[in-house]
Amino acid sequence: MNQTTVSARPLAAEPSRARGRWRRYFWGYAFVLPSVAIFLVFLWMPIVKGIVFSFYHVDFVKGNSYVGVDNYKYIFKDPDVWKAVKNTLYYMGLCIVIGFWVPILFAISISELKRFQGFARIAAYLPYVVPVVVLYGLWRWLYDPVGPFNATLSWLGITPINFMTDTRWSMISIVIMETWQQFGSALLIYLAAIMSIPRDWYEAAEIDGAGVWSRIWHVTLPSIRNQIALLFMLQLIGTSQGFQSQFAMLDGGPNNTTLTYALYIVRNAFNNFNYGVASALGVLMFLVLGVLAVIQHRISGRGGNAA
């Protein structure tokens, strides 16, 4: 009998312990619940519905009809899909070659300044806060056949370039515009990482006779390698979803040279009203981005452990 009583006490204590824990964290759960609800309704519910719709021919008038994997078969046979994939990979490559190193170079240059460092930070970040409507209008004017860029080229004796209509320059022009506008946010991250490097390391390098370039190569760059790797993966994820600039500036033109994968999804959904194919395209993109996100998470965790 004593044995039964003793064994029953822990079982009876468990519900009261759970109730105590619930009371203690009630307000925390209450404040988190709206965010969780919004996250489920506006993020995961569309993802689940998109996966379901990818197996249907979606018709909001006559009703949906199940088509199995026909949407996926259509995707792999559609030449425009491969054109969009090629353009997206080209866009991602250009963003890495042209734009990825810009914030690193600016961050290192600003960190080496002895005077006006605060002004340089503000000036470098200002393009990031320019509204996109103003941004697109400004760069359309700069890229105009009689705009400032071509006027400068003519003054230098160089043949003017049709930045917006030449298929060789259209995507490059978009990448240059986006690099100018977006490098400020990455620059602040790199600056914060550089400022966290112990000054003793630089002083030791100077005592050993290291110049500016030696300090940058042997102290600065190795110290921020985790941030470089992390932002590299984030840039891959971000540029793989390139849509807004291509749509607003050229709508995928000229001759579909700026037609990215995300823009092709929008065209299928809202121009062709082919929501099943658009959903299947979105599912494939979701899978690729999921792999990139896992890689980014592992790099981020490794960087945190190293820190």
Side-chain angles (χ1 to χ4, degrees):
M1 183 173 180
N2 292 337
Q3 211 172 24
T4 307
T5 305
V6 171
S7 61
R9 281 176 185 170
L11 296 175
E14 284 300 322
S16 61
R17 193 176 301 170
R19 283 195 297 270
R21 192 182 297 114
W22 174 256
R23 289 172 184 170
R24 182 184 304 174
Y25 299 116
F26 172 77
W27 287 110
Y29 293 140
F31 281 111
V32 169
L33 185 60
S35 298
V36 173
I38 292 172
F39 184 79
L40 291 175
V41 172
F42 293 102
L43 181 64
W44 281 105
M45 187 178 292
I47 290 175
V48 173
K49 291 187 72 174
I51 294 173
V52 173
F53 284 164
S54 68
F55 298 102
Y56 282 82
H57 173 70
V58 180
D59 192 327
F60 295 112
V61 178
K62 299 179 181 178
N64 303 337
S65 56
Y66 180 76
V67 295
V69 295
D70 286 355
N71 290 327
Y72 293 93
K73 292 179 180 179
Y74 174 83
I75 288 172
F76 288 107
K77 292 180 181 179
D78 186 1
D80 286 340
V81 172
W82 300 109
K83 176 72 172 177
V85 171
K86 180 182 176 182
N87 290 340
T88 303
L89 294 174
Y90 178 55
Y91 170 66
M92 294 168 66
L94 283 177
C95 287
I96 292 171
V97 172
I98 296 175
F100 180 71
W101 300 104
V102 172
I104 300 175
L105 295 176
F106 269 80
I108 294 174
S109 300
I110 291 173
S111 68
E112 292 289 334
L113 290 177
K114 303 299 182 183
R115 301 177 63 185
F116 305 111
Q117 194 173 113
F119 172 78
R121 293 182 195 178
I122 295 172
Y125 188 73
L126 276 178
Y128 187 72
V129 300
V130 175
V132 290
V133 175
V134 177
L135 175 73
Y136 296 145
L138 170 65
W139 282 86
R140 276 185 174 277
W141 171 66
L142 292 173
Y143 283 145
D144 194 87
V146 293
F149 286 166
N150 278 317
T152 303
L153 292 176
S154 298
W155 181 73
L156 294 172
I158 302 173
T159 304
I161 300 171
N162 295 319
F163 292 99
M164 294 284 95
T165 56
D166 192 332
T167 56
R168 297 171 298 176
W169 282 94
S170 53
M171 190 70 85
I172 297 174
S173 302
I174 288 176
V175 172
I176 292 173
M177 177 195 70
E178 289 188 338
T179 300
W180 178 84
Q181 196 255 345
Q182 296 182 5
F183 84 96
S185 59
L187 179 141
L188 293 183
I189 297 174
Y190 287 125
L191 266 177
I194 292 171
M195 294 304 171
S196 67
I197 301 173
R199 296 296 99 184
D200 297 345
W201 296 2
Y202 289 104
E203 292 173 3
E206 289 177 0
I207 292 173
D208 289 340
V212 175
W213 295 111
S214 296
R215 292 201 311 269
I216 292 172
W217 186 256
H218 295 289
V219 178
T220 304
L221 289 176
S223 300
I224 63 172
R225 65 181 183 275
N226 291 325
Q227 286 76 17
I228 293 175
L230 176 62
L231 289 177
F232 178 79
M233 289 306 306
L234 289 176
Q235 177 154 336
L236 285 181
I237 294 171
T239 54
S240 65
Q241 304 172 69
F243 156 75
Q244 182 171 286
S245 299
Q246 289 81 1
F247 175 71
M249 294 289 286
L250 294 168
D251 194 20
N255 196 25
N256 285 338
T257 51
T258 58
L259 176 65
T260 57
Y261 191 86
L263 180 55
Y264 188 65
I265 293 175
V266 173
R267 278 191 179 180
N268 271 279
F270 301 106
N271 290 5
N272 304 333
F273 301 105
N274 201 342
Y275 296 100
V277 171
S279 298
L281 288 166
V283 169
L284 295 176
M285 188 176 194
F286 174 75
L287 294 175
V288 173
L289 292 180
V291 173
L292 291 176
V294 170
I295 297 173
Q296 180 266 327
H297 178 72
R298 291 189 175 182
I299 292 174
S300 178
R302 193 184 311 141
N305 294 334

